[in-house]
Amino acid sequence: MRLPAVLRPPAPRRPRSTSTAGRPGRLVVGGFAATVAVGTVLLLLPVSATGRAPTLVEALFTATSAVCVTGLAVVDTGTFWSPFGQVVVLTLIQLGGFGVMTAASLLGLLLSRRLDLRTRLVAAASTRSIGLGDVRSVLVGVVRVTALVEGTVALVVAARLVVGYDVAPGTALWHGVFHAVSAFNNAGFALHPDSLMGFVGDPWVCVPLCVAVVLGGIGFPVLFELYRRRVRPSRWSLHSKLTVVTTGTLLAGGTLFFLITEWANPRTLGGLGVGERVLAAVTQSVMARTAGFNSLDTSEMNSGTWLGTDVLMFVGGGSAGTAGGIKVVTFAVLAFVIWSELRGDPDVTAFDRRVSPATQRQAVSVALLGVAAVLAPTLVITATSPFGLDRVLFEVTSAFSTTGLSTGITADLAAPHQLLLVGLMFLGRLGPITLGTALALRARPRLFRRPESAAVIG
């Protein structure tokens, strides 16, 4: 006898799939790992180096630093790697900044003119676009913005090298392309042993690269919204407002900070003219936002300047951009949480909008995981190496935030320490939350809530 519907037991639920098909985050992690592996193999080829063959650690470190758009290096990019090796590094930078899965989605778009649901999910995870229907337009827009910014900056820098430094046109164009791609992707790789120190007072080189860094690091969704609603800033989303305002505040504050702490240092700003000092401070403030170029000798800065730079690197740039760090929106949300708590407000508000509890929890989680990711390797390296805490903290923060600034000790670290930085760069590029989600065995939605209680804080 067939039971009535209300008396029939519910059909057993099918277990959720834990395969990568249901988790685009895992595909992103796998894509980055595969790209690092391929880059390592290519850099190990004899044709990639100009002299001695690179070691496995050197090739792995360089490939990871390039894919994770960090810029830390254990060998000099311009002299150790051959033209073929430099092309490999440049390609890895572009793939890393653009997003391996985003590039794969673009290839599918070009070949089939359509994106299936799985590809759109993967692209959404890479670009942080809102809504699956936006992914196609975001991907096409990313290509256009990337080509426009990198092409323009490359031509400006190349022309300046030809006119101002008497560099051969072919060499100037290659240097322009390499540094433009490295800047827009916030990588910080340079073909000069001293990075941009030879151009410390040249605005025709420093300013275009700074513009490329800011545009690449602010985040593609924000750039698209600023363009679409450029006439009416009042209609910007909360995310865009937080990104733009916080970015501007940190850039201005960073510039003032470098001017104050390094003004009288004869080894950095002290030996420059007033205009050159301001330009160098602006450049250093921009590059500390996870770009990695330096027009001043970082190793000669004051220890207090290192600590302030640690903070700027840790905060990083915008979400869904090429910058690293915990992101400026995370920093801004935490600031508004503290301000609301000090005022005793029941809700956290920013720009007349209430910040959701979920966003607050995510900001706290990302920040605390970031602190843990920096502190643990710092303790390990400090305890097992001859270098001081200030230098080690700087290198570790630079690796986690995928910045690439260095006090000059990365190449002198032991191989295990360098491998630790490799893992940290990988974690920093994907983000603690993304990596944790991608590696989670399964999702466990909870169908109930525990009784509420309170704990004494402070």
Side-chain angles (χ1 to χ4, degrees), residues 259-450:
L259 285 174
I260 293 175
T261 59
E262 294 295 318
W263 183 269
N265 187 345
R267 299 179 299 276
T268 55
L269 291 181
L272 304 175
V274 175
E276 292 178 333
R277 293 186 189 187
V278 174
L279 176 62
V282 171
T283 302
Q284 207 65 29
S285 178
V286 171
M287 300 309 173
R289 312 302 311 291
T290 82
F293 291 113
N294 62 284
S295 61
L296 298 174
D297 190 348
T298 307
S299 64
E300 297 293 344
M301 290 181 176
N302 300 314
S303 57
T305 306
W306 285 344
L307 183 59
T309 307
D310 290 339
V311 175
L312 293 175
M313 293 191 297
F314 185 77
V315 174
S319 302
T322 55
I326 64 171
K327 311 302 183 186
V328 293
V329 171
T330 302
F331 178 77
V333 169
L334 291 177
F336 278 109
V337 169
I338 294 173
W339 178 245
S340 297
E341 190 65 27
L342 291 176
R343 288 168 53 90
D345 295 335
D347 297 319
V348 177
T349 58
F351 297 104
D352 298 324
R353 292 291 185 272
R354 181 165 53 89
V355 181
S356 69
T359 301
Q360 299 174 42
R361 290 196 301 270
Q362 291 171 4
V364 172
S365 300
V366 168
L368 292 181
L369 285 174
V371 171
V374 169
L375 287 182
T378 299
L379 291 175
V380 172
I381 297 177
T382 302
T384 57
S385 75
F387 301 107
L389 174 62
D390 50 0
R391 290 181 180 270
V392 173
L393 178 62
F394 193 97
E395 305 294 311
V396 170
T397 305
S398 181
F400 170 76
S401 62
T402 68
T403 302
L405 290 174
S406 174
T407 60
I409 68 172
T410 299
D412 298 325
L413 291 173
H417 297 153
Q418 294 176 352
L419 291 176
L420 184 59
L421 293 183
V422 166
L424 198 57
M425 288 188 290
F426 195 83
L427 172 65
R429 180 65 183 97
L430 298 176
I433 295 297
T434 302
L435 187 61
T437 302
L439 299 179
L441 294 177
R442 61 190 178 94
R444 295 171 49 181
R446 180 161 293 179
L447 304 180
F448 61 91
R449 300 180 69 184
R450 301 286 186 185

Side-chain angles (χ1 to χ4, degrees), residues 143-229:
V143 174
R144 292 175 177 173
V145 171
T146 301
L148 176 63
V149 175
E150 291 180 355
T152 303
V153 173
L155 291 177
V156 173
V157 173
R160 178 57 178 168
L161 292 178
V162 171
V163 174
Y165 298 89
D166 199 24
V167 179
T171 303
L173 182 60
W174 168 241
H175 280 238
V177 170
F178 190 96
H179 291 93
V181 172
S182 185
F184 182 71
N185 290 285
N186 278 224
F189 277 93
L191 296 178
H192 308 285
D194 57 357
S195 190
L196 300 181
M197 290 174 58
F199 310 99
V200 61
D202 192 340
W204 290 99
V205 173
C206 293
V207 172
L209 293 180
C210 286
V211 171
V213 167
V214 173
L215 292 178
I218 203 171
F220 292 119
V222 174
L223 289 178
F224 295 152
E225 183 171 6
L226 297 187
Y227 176 76
R228 290 195 302 264
R229 299 177 178 176

Side-chain angles (χ1 to χ4, degrees), residues 2 4 34 41 44 76 83 109 114 124 140 144 182-183 206 254 310 368:
R2 184 178 178 84
V41 172
L44 284 173
D76 181 57
L109 175 62
R114 296 186 60 184
V140 175
R144 292 175 177 173
S182 185
C206 293
D310 290 339
L368 292 181

Side-chain angles (χ1 to χ4, degrees), residues 28-84:
V28 174
V29 174
F32 271 90
T35 306
V36 169
V38 172
T40 302
V41 172
L42 291 176
L43 291 176
L44 284 173
L45 297 176
V47 71
S48 295
T50 57
R52 66 172 179 85
T55 64
L56 177 60
V57 174
E58 289 172 342
L60 175 62
F61 193 100
T62 303
T64 305
S65 183
V67 173
C68 297
V69 292
T70 304
L72 283 176
V74 291
V75 294
D76 181 57
T77 306
T79 58
F80 184 87
W81 301 111
S82 67
F84 176 81

